[in-house]
Amino acid sequence: MSKVKIVVAGPRGNMGKEAVKMVSSTDEFTLVAAVDSKHAGMMLSEIEGFQGIDIPIYTDMQQCFKENEVDVLIDLTAPAFGKKHMQTAFENGVRPVVGTTGFTEEDIIELRATAEEQGIGAIIAPNFAIGAILMMKFSQMAAKYLPDVEIIERHHDRKLDAPSGTAIKTAQLISEVREQKAQGHPNETEELAGARGANFEGMRIHSVRLPGLVAHQEVIFGGVGQTLTIRHDSIDRTSFMPGVKLAVDAVLRIDTLVYGLEHIIE
Ligand SMILES: NC(=O)C1=CN([C@@H]2O[C@H](COP(=O)(O)OP(=O)(O)OC[C@H]3O[C@@H](n4cnc5c(N)ncnc54)[C@H](OP(=O)(O)O)[C@@H]3O)[C@@H](O)[C@H]2O)C=CC1
Ligand SMILES: O=C(O)C1=N[C@H](C(=O)O)C[C@H](O)C1
């Protein structure tokens, strides 16, 4: 069986570094190139930390796809680029596996239409960690019985988007099973703007950003005389890699856009 030919976008980033390692050490995958924000024309092996990985670096994704035969793009860049990178992949018949966050519901609808028009598989996964997927599934189960819920997500202070993609996805999954409801006292006021967090259909999302954190989330449910807390912690970015590998395998078998690994891990 021929190997899956992969390009990683964002190879010097926290996630990109791990993805380069995972792809390079997986027998059935081959890393053919990297797309970076700089270092066009260099080899990845010339950059510290990538010794022995002799693949070209491009800053122009179109050029990368023109000069290389590519099956899958793994995108781990920044919210401003995820959508554009997916469109470039579709134009070139390349299947995107995207961990980059910051997509709106409208972006997903638009990208799914393109994927289906072209019959190309694509996966956007706000979180690749299996524990985080379970946290989201368990939260959806709990929300049926305990509809008052607040989400506290905690991330490192280099994160660009708030709330996190995982918090938004969790709120979306919960809203599939609960009636929209305003939480807290009907007459409550914010003495400082933002004190009650972001409002997703009445559910509150609070974003903490601190050095020392990686990626953590608590989903807290309140009921009469009780609370339930469902918590997940990624303490290392290796936690995401089995999910990235699973997504690469899955994207080759689908011809639509799947948003969320919970649709792949049944
Ligand atoms: N789905 C999941 O499980 C996870 C998703 N994420 C998401 O993945 C993304 C990356 O996270 P993280 O690795 O922590 O971020 P980093 O900032 O550490 O890495 C992003 C990398 O992408 C590079 N980059 C930026 N723009 C481009 C571009 N247009 N083309 C190519 N490369 C580019 C950056 O280069 P430069 O620094 O020069 O700008 C940087 O090296 C974020 O959106 C984050 O939310 C993170 C963890 C898990
Ligand atoms: O930026 C991060 O670090 C993470 N981003 C994703 C998100 O926005 O949910 C996934 C994980 O939480 C780590």
Side-chain angles (χ1 to χ4, degrees):
M1 212 176 64
S2 65
K3 293 191 178 205
V4 185
K5 295 180 270 309
I6 297 175
V7 164
V8 171
R12 289 176 299 107
N14 292 320
M15 282 291 282
K17 270 184 217 144
E18 292 300 330
V20 165
K21 267 194 237 162
M22 182 278 288
V23 172
S24 306
S25 62
T26 301
D27 284 346
E28 61 270 35
F29 296 167
T30 181
L31 186 63
V32 295
V35 175
D36 200 347
S37 56
K38 53 187 178 194
H39 302 310
M42 285 173 68
M43 299 297 280
L44 195 58
S45 51
E46 292 175 72
I47 293 174
E48 206 190 321
F50 296 102
Q51 279 72 19
I53 306 183
D54 279 317
I55 55 156
I57 300 175
Y58 296 83
T59 50
D60 181 342
M61 195 172 275
Q62 280 287 4
Q63 189 190 354
C64 172
F65 293 149
K66 288 227 155 52
E67 295 182 9
N68 298 275
E69 199 185 314
V70 183
D71 300 312
V72 175
L73 164 71
I74 299 177
D75 192 85
L76 298 161
T77 57
F81 301 104
K83 185 176 177 191
K84 171 91 185 45
H85 288 175
M86 286 189 77
Q87 285 162 336
T88 309
F90 288 144
E91 282 160 32
N92 288 274
V94 173
R95 293 165 184 260
V97 166
V98 179
T100 305
T101 45
F103 289 87
T104 63
E105 287 190 46
E106 293 72 33
D107 289 337
I108 288 163
I109 291 167
E110 190 189 319
L111 289 160
R112 182 173 289 126
T114 310
E116 290 180 357
E117 252 164 55
Q118 304 196 5
I120 296 179
I123 295 177
I124 298 175
N127 202 312
F128 286 113
I130 180 72
I133 308 299
L134 293 172
M135 165 191 61
M136 290 186 252
K137 284 194 169 208
F138 297 157
S139 298
Q140 193 184 41
M141 280 168 71
K144 223 169 140 178
Y145 306 99
L146 295 166
D148 286 83
V149 49
E150 304 224 355
I151 298 171
I152 305 176
E153 56 96 338
R154 298 181 174 86
H155 281 84
H156 56 94
D157 65 348
R158 304 292 86 201
K159 186 161 179 60
L160 292 171
D161 51 322
S164 69
T166 308
I168 293 171
K169 182 69 177 167
T170 307
Q172 288 167 339
L173 288 171
I174 289 173
S175 72
E176 284 174 19
V177 299
R178 77 164 209 165
E179 294 273 306
Q180 187 163 333
K181 70 175 288 199
Q183 292 180 192
H185 195 289
N187 300 330
E188 75 180 12
T189 57
E190 282 187 327
E191 306 309 325
L192 278 179
R196 290 287 290 120
N199 185 343
F200 186 103
E201 297 183 4
M203 228 179 297
R204 297 295 173 156
I205 307 179
H206 312 269
S207 298
V208 177
R209 297 290 177 266
L210 284 172
L213 294 171
V214 179
H216 318 263
Q217 182 168 291
E218 271 176 45
V219 188
I220 308 173
F221 297 88
V224 180
Q226 60 181 324
T227 66
L228 167 68
T229 303
I230 301 174
R231 175 175 175 133
H232 176 260
D233 297 271
S234 270
I235 53 174
D236 191 285
R237 290 179 181 88
T238 50
S239 62
F240 302 111
M241 291 306 123
V244 177
K245 182 175 182 304
L246 193 90
V248 171
D249 291 335
V251 83
L252 299 168
R253 301 191 303 268
I254 57 176
D255 55 9
T256 182
L257 184 152
V258 168
Y259 168 52
L261 271 203
E262 70 278 8
H263 299 292
I264 304 289
I265 303 163
E266 292 301 337

